[in-house]
Amino acid sequence: MDRWRDWLKESYGKKLSKLHAWNAWVVLLLAVTGVVLFVPSIRGDLGALRVVLKQVHIVLGIASIVLIALYVPLIAKHWKQLKTRLKQRWNLAIVLFLLIGWGITGLVLWQFHNLPPIWSNVSLVLHDLFTWVGIPYALYHSISRSRWLKTMRSEELKAARQLQADKRTAVSVAAAQAGSEAVPGAEVGLDSGAVTVAKGTMGPQKFVEFLKNAPISRATFLRSVIGLLLVFGVGPYFYRWMKSVSDTGGSGLDQIYASDANHMQPEPVALAESSPPIGGGLKGEFRIYTVTDIPAFSSDSWQFSISGLVDKPISWDWEQFMQLKRKVQVSDFHCVTGWSVYKVTWEGIPLSELLEMAGVKSQARFAKMYSGDKVYTDCLSLEQVKMEDVMAAVLMDGKPIPNQLGGPVRLIVPKMYAYKSVKWLQAIELIEKEHIGYWEVRGYDNDAWVPGSRLS
């Protein structure tokens, strides 16, 4: 409380200076944690630290919003203070727009459990867009206004003023030696590097301003180089991101299919409802996350098993699994990080039918799922397993599911977030006590319902 009173007593200038410094540190930490959470090749190796990092990112985001709130009472005075500095006004407007955009979309992503998936899906794209623009802009702003560039600029202005004074002295001496007075209003001009005296040329301050904006200024040159480096360094990645966002099931997905490392023979033959897909083709982009290296499988060694509290433990090889009766459904796919893929046509075996083949014992309460990566596990209650849209899928939009997307067989639980839809599914064990899955142990909610989809 005392600190808050001290803050209120601070002068306007000190408040503005402190807010600027605090905001710089918060944005830097937000950028670092955000990039780590964004890059799949990094986030996949973080394990439990990813959950902690996400919470840190959220806290930093809230701190950023608090700083904006503290700045609000100072905006009017600050804006008036920049009345004659158009560039700084533009900079202030851009920074506020980015910070407010980050804050609003971040709040939506934080509260995704209480909002429709479309909100978080749109917010995630916008949040990423603000980041793609905001981080390079913040870097450019920080470097171009750094102390060493300011010092360089100050030295240039000092030299320019001294040059102006020396030239005016030289003109006065020359005029005195010629026995005449300097022409009133005459100043030094620039003519291909030579000094001339002419009526109506630039005055001292105007000349200094000219030198400020001269293309030969080292500070201006360095700022331009920094800007170009950022554009050419970030530009190609930004272009690929924009292309992936606009590529709803197009070339990006084709590349995933083309690079499928699984070797499964025979390939599943799609039912009529899958080819062409009754959903019309998926809409959206899959973001590939994994907690291990992406495995690949061969039909020679692949098998699928059901064991535990069952009457008849059972296993299938690939050829036998392909002979099981399949069904087709259209459903949306929602990730807990905020993105969604809509109207996916899945073809596979309902999980409830697989369990019926093995016979469920009366004491069984849960189904533990095992991934073929030998690391990932998760769990569903038998009530959840019996939902009609929970299936072991083998086809997506009429094509075999590639290994990058969890094939040859992956669990699909449309009413829950995708960390429940175990990739590379190879075994189910019926158990009495609930198993806590890979991400649930690391901080994710065991209750993974997508809003509006909870089992009644």
Side-chain angles (χ1 to χ4, degrees):
M1 198 67 183
D2 290 338
R3 288 186 178 181
W4 175 246
R5 290 195 189 97
D6 292 340
W7 163 261
L8 292 176
K9 292 177 182 178
E10 292 274 16
S11 66
Y12 161 79
K14 286 185 177 180
K15 284 181 182 177
L16 203 61
S17 179
K18 285 184 177 180
L19 285 174
H20 188 273
W22 293 342
N23 185 65
W25 280 109
V26 169
V27 169
L28 174 63
L29 294 173
L30 277 170
V32 172
T33 55
V35 168
V36 170
L37 289 169
F38 175 80
V39 179
S41 58
I42 300 176
R43 60 179 279 139
D45 297 329
L46 291 175
L49 182 59
R50 187 163 94 188
V51 180
V52 175
L53 205 61
K54 182 179 178 181
Q55 295 304 318
V56 170
H57 192 74
I58 290 170
V59 171
L60 289 169
I62 294 171
S64 177
I65 294 171
V66 170
L67 290 176
I68 293 174
L70 291 173
Y71 174 66
V72 168
L74 310 178
I75 289 179
K77 187 174 181 179
H78 192 198
W79 187 258
K80 187 176 180 181
Q81 196 178 53
L82 300 176
K83 185 177 180 180
T84 59
R85 302 174 186 175
L86 188 59
K87 288 183 179 179
Q88 290 190 32
R89 274 194 170 187
W90 270 107
N91 176 69
L92 178 60
I94 291 170
V95 169
L96 283 176
F97 177 74
L98 290 170
L99 290 175
I100 292 170
W102 264 323
I104 293 173
T105 55
L107 285 173
V108 173
L109 292 172
W110 176 35
Q111 293 298 318
F112 71 94
H113 275 303
N114 304 314
L115 298 168
I118 188 65
W119 284 42
S120 57
N121 207 30
V122 172
S123 292
L124 183 64
V125 173
L126 291 175
H127 200 74
D128 288 350
L129 179 60
F130 286 127
T131 301
W132 277 109
V133 175
I135 291 180
Y137 186 83
L139 282 172
Y140 176 78
H141 178 71
S142 300
I143 296 172
S144 65
R145 295 181 65 81
S146 60
R147 187 170 297 176
W148 67 276
L149 264 181
K150 283 184 176 180
T151 301
M152 182 185 297
R153 192 67 175 150
S154 177
E155 289 174 352
E156 287 176 349
L157 291 175
K158 185 177 179 181
R161 293 189 185 99
Q162 185 61 48
L163 177 64
Q164 176 73 0
D166 291 345
K167 287 179 179 178
R168 293 187 66 187
T169 301
V171 169
S172 299
V173 170
Q177 289 176 348
S180 61
E181 294 183 358
V183 180
E187 299 293 350
V188 178
L190 293 183
D191 181 13
S192 301
V195 178
T196 62
V197 181
K199 216 169 190 179
T201 54
M202 290 181 285
Q205 185 56 40
K206 191 174 181 181
F207 181 68
V208 170
E209 291 298 325
F210 169 78
L211 288 178
K212 277 186 184 180
N213 300 312
I216 58 172
S217 164
R218 284 186 301 158
T220 301
F221 173 75
L222 287 173
R223 278 199 294 266
S224 300
V225 169
I226 292 164
L228 287 172
L229 287 174
L230 286 171
V231 168
F232 286 110
V234 176
Y237 298 99
F238 177 65
Y239 170 76
R240 284 199 286 271
W241 174 79
M242 287 290 292
K243 192 171 183 295
S244 69
V245 168
S246 60
D247 184 12
T248 58
S251 59
L253 191 58
D254 289 340
Q255 291 175 10
I256 292 175
Y257 279 123
S259 61
D260 184 15
N262 288 336
H263 299 284
M264 312 301 291
Q265 296 295 329
E267 286 192 359
V269 178
L271 297 174
E273 295 93 333
S274 286
S275 186
I278 57 175
L282 61 84
K283 305 296 180 186
E285 178 212 3
F286 283 98
R287 300 191 180 197
I288 299 171
Y289 303 145
T290 176
V291 298
T292 65
D293 292 334
I294 297 176
F297 302 88
S298 170
S299 50
D300 296 335
S301 58
W302 186 91
Q303 73 174 60
F304 192 101
S305 300
I306 299 179
S307 63
L309 298 175
V310 294
D311 299 325
K312 178 187 171 184
I314 189 169
S315 287
W316 296 271
D317 62 21
W318 179 251
E319 190 170 352
Q320 292 169 334
F321 200 76
M322 288 300 93
Q323 293 172 3
L324 298 176
K325 184 179 178 180
R326 301 193 295 268
K327 79 164 201 174
V328 178
Q329 69 183 38
V330 178
S331 56
D332 299 333
F333 186 92
H334 303 291
C335 180
V336 73
T337 58
W339 57 268
S340 301
V341 180
Y342 299 97
K343 296 184 178 180
V344 188
T345 300
W346 301 104
E347 182 178 323
I349 304 100
L351 218 59
S352 58
E353 294 181 12
L354 285 174
L355 297 187
E356 282 180 15
M357 296 178 198
V360 180
K361 289 187 175 181
S362 59
Q363 60 266 47
R365 295 288 181 272
F366 299 92
K368 181 180 178 181
M369 315 296 174
Y370 291 85
S371 170
D373 66 4
K374 302 178 178 63
V375 173
Y376 199 91
T377 60
D378 216 301
C379 184
L380 296 174
S381 70
L382 290 187
E383 289 78 9
Q384 293 165 352
V385 167
K386 291 175 183 176
M387 291 188 294
E388 62 179 2
D389 56 359
V390 176
M391 67 160 55
V394 297
L395 291 160
M396 184 180 76
D397 277 359
K399 297 179 181 179
I401 303 172
N403 70 316
Q404 291 187 63
L405 299 182
V409 177
R410 78 166 297 164
L411 183 65
I412 295 298
V413 189
K415 291 183 174 64
M416 292 185 169
Y417 286 107
Y419 63 89
K420 288 289 187 179
S421 295
V422 178
K423 290 184 285 191
W424 313 299
L425 183 66
Q426 281 198 272
I428 302 173
E429 181 184 13
L430 275 294
I431 56 179
E432 185 174 0
K433 294 183 180 180
E434 185 175 18
H435 165 74
I436 307 301
Y438 180 92
W439 278 120
E440 289 87 339
V441 169
R442 290 161 175 80
Y444 278 35
D445 291 335
N446 203 40
D447 181 3
W449 298 106
V450 174
S453 301
R454 186 180 296 275
L455 180 65
S456 57

